[in-house]
């Protein structure tokens, strides 16, 4: 996870205190009908105990973060992230809704609403709170299979009907060694009986020690033709402070070697040919390539060097920004598979319409996109990072069928 300055954390705490102060003001207003002084005192004390405790925990964690073991650091950060979101969002909605209600009532009525407005206000706060709880404790591991079909005239006849599973962004450190959870996803994948499995990056959050024990789980992924992978931005160790360049390199090498352990072919700016009945398709894998501040390790020109003449090409590139910048129009790559965005782990989907705040940062952020005869699919990720939940953006297993 990327770190933030003490000043940024201090500003975050000020915003939390401001919103909580406004929420407390309205809490006092709607609790006036309560006759029990001791009960109101309990409510008010609990409110500020949680608020001040959360702000103190955030500041203490930031100040002491360099002295905390990395294994505990990830768990503490994600836990505080979850607590902050589950506190801040419901209170913000509560403040906005009840402020509008009281202002509207003041404008159009001469009497105060002692029941309706408080009830609606409380409901407006509790509803998003319970939704967030669902996102954290239930939806985050409700794996969903997305089925798509890719049609291309360039596809050789021997590969018509080829079944591909794409997974991405495992972030194994976030599972905290709860192997049984991912085993459910692997059982689902194997039940799909894919010909090929593609993994499009971010195996870990930062460290190779996150991989402990996962080889026995991920080895069970089964594909008839083969399993291929590329690296994501989190696989390079760029978001950690290292004692030396050697330590960082050893961490990186251990992550790369893990793919061999689980029988995946890791593609590092290279391509492989898949043969079937004398016909071929090319699978190209680039190292991570993203717009700044993300680093550009990928070399697409080098990756294409030996497969330029192959008509149907599949590119594995972790960051979907790469498709816009170097793939579309500049190459004849038929299908690009990416991940990276997680769909921000929060969004709304109604029939064919989808929305997430991440759309304001990434043009292509979830699902299938097409420009002329070229396709991009952005996987929503199987794991999570930062906020320990998923809201309207369930963890994804993509089943792709190739057609002519």
């Amino acid at each position: 996870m990327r770190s933030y300055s003490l000043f940024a954390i201090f500003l975050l705490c000020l915003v939390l205190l401001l919103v909580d102060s406004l929420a407390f003001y309205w809490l006092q207003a709607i609790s006036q009908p309560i006759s029990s002084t001791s009960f109101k005192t309990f409510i008010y004390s609990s409110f500020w105990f949680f608020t001040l405790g959360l702000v103190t925990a955030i500041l203490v964690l930031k100040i002491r973060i360099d002295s905390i073991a990395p294994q505990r650091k990830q768990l503490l950060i994600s836990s505080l992230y979850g607590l902050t979101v589950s506190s801040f969002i419901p209170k913000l909605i509560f403040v906005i809704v009840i402020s509008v209600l009281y202002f509207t009532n003041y404008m159009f009525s001469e009497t105060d609403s002692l029941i309706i407005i408080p009830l609606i206000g409380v409901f407006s706060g509790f509803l998003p709170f319970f939704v967030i709880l669902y996102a954290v404790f239930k939806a985050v591991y409700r794996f969903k299979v997305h089925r798509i079909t890719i049609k291309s005239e360039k596809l050789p006849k021997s590969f018509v009907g080829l079944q591909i599973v794409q997974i991405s962004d495992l972030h194994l450190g976030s599972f905290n060694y709860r192997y049984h959870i991912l085993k459910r996803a692997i059982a689902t994948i194997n039940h799909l009986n894919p010909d090929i499995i593609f993994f499009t990056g971010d195996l870990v959050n930062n460290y190779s020690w996150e991989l402990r024990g996962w080889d026995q789980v991920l080895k069970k992924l089964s594909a008839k033709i083969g399993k291929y992978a590329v690296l994501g931005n989190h696989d390079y160790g760029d978001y950690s402070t290292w004692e030396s360049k050697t330590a960082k390199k050893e961490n990186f090498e251990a992550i790369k070697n893990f793919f061999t352990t689980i029988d995946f072919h890791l593609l590092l700016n290279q391509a492989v040919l898949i043969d079937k009945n004398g016909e071929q398709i090319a699978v190209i894998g680039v190292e991570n390539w993203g717009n700044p501040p993300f680093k550009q390790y990928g070399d697409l020109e080098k990756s294409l060097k030996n497969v330029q003449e192959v008509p149907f090409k599949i590119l594995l590139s972790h960051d979907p920004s790469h498709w816009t910048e170097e793939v579309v129009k500049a190459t004849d790559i038929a299908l690009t598979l990416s991940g990276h965005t997680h769909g921000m782990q929060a969004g709304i989907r109604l029939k064919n319409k989808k929305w997430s705040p991440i759309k304001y940062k990434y043009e292509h952020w979830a699902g299938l996109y097409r420009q002329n005869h070229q396709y991009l699919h952005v996987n929503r990720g199987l794991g999570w990072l930062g906020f320990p939940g998923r809201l309207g953006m369930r963890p994804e297993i993509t089943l792709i069928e190739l057609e002519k």
Side-chain angles (χ1 to χ4, degrees), residues 220-238:
K220 294 179 180 178
L221 282 169
S222 177
K224 288 177 279 189
I225 293 175
K227 300 180 289 186
Y228 302 87
V230 292
L231 299 172
N233 54 301
H234 280 268
D235 297 323
Y236 293 85
D238 289 336

Side-chain angles (χ1 to χ4, degrees), residues 164-171 189 196-204 221 227-236 259 262 264-267 283-289 314-320 322 335-342 367 376-383 396-398 400:
I164 297 169
V165 162
Q166 181 200 3
I167 54 175
S168 192
D169 298 86
L170 283 174
H171 291 284
I189 292 168
I196 302 173
I197 296 175
F198 290 136
F199 173 68
T200 46
D202 277 1
L203 180 66
V204 298
L221 282 169
K227 300 180 289 186
Y228 302 87
V230 292
L231 299 172
N233 54 301
H234 280 268
D235 297 323
Y236 293 85
F259 284 99
I262 60 173
F264 269 76
H265 189 160
L266 180 61
L267 300 174
V283 177
I284 305 148
V286 296
E287 295 194 55
N288 190 65
W289 192 106
I314 300 173
L315 171 65
L316 311 183
S317 182
H318 178 67
D319 192 319
H322 193 202
L335 173 62
T336 300
L337 302 178
S338 300
H340 183 59
T341 70
H342 300 204
L376 166 69
H377 182 265
V378 184
N379 184 283
R380 295 162 178 83
L382 205 58
E396 176 176 351
I397 298 165
T398 314
I400 303 167

Side-chain angles (χ1 to χ4, degrees), residues 239-255:
Y239 305 127
S240 304
T241 301
W242 300 94
E243 295 179 359
S244 64
K245 290 182 178 179
T246 301
K248 181 180 181 181
K249 183 179 179 181
E250 288 175 351
N251 183 78
F252 185 48
E253 291 300 320
I255 291 170

Side-chain angles (χ1 to χ4, degrees), residues 10 21 46 55 62 90 105 141 157 183 213 245-246 264 275 278 283 294 371:
F10 183 71
S21 297
S46 300
V55 169
K62 177 58 185 176
N105 183 76
Y141 296 128
K157 289 183 179 179
K183 283 180 179 178
K245 290 182 178 179
T246 301
F264 269 76
D275 295 274
V283 177
F294 299 107
Q371 188 165 326

Side-chain angles (χ1 to χ4, degrees), residues 16 19-20 23 47 50-51 54 81-93 125 129 132:
L16 291 175
V19 170
D20 280 26
F47 181 96
F50 178 83
T51 295
L54 178 60
Y81 201 131
L83 282 173
T84 302
V85 171
S86 61
S87 172
F88 178 75
I89 299 298
K91 287 174 183 174
L92 179 62
I93 294 174
F129 174 73
I132 291 171

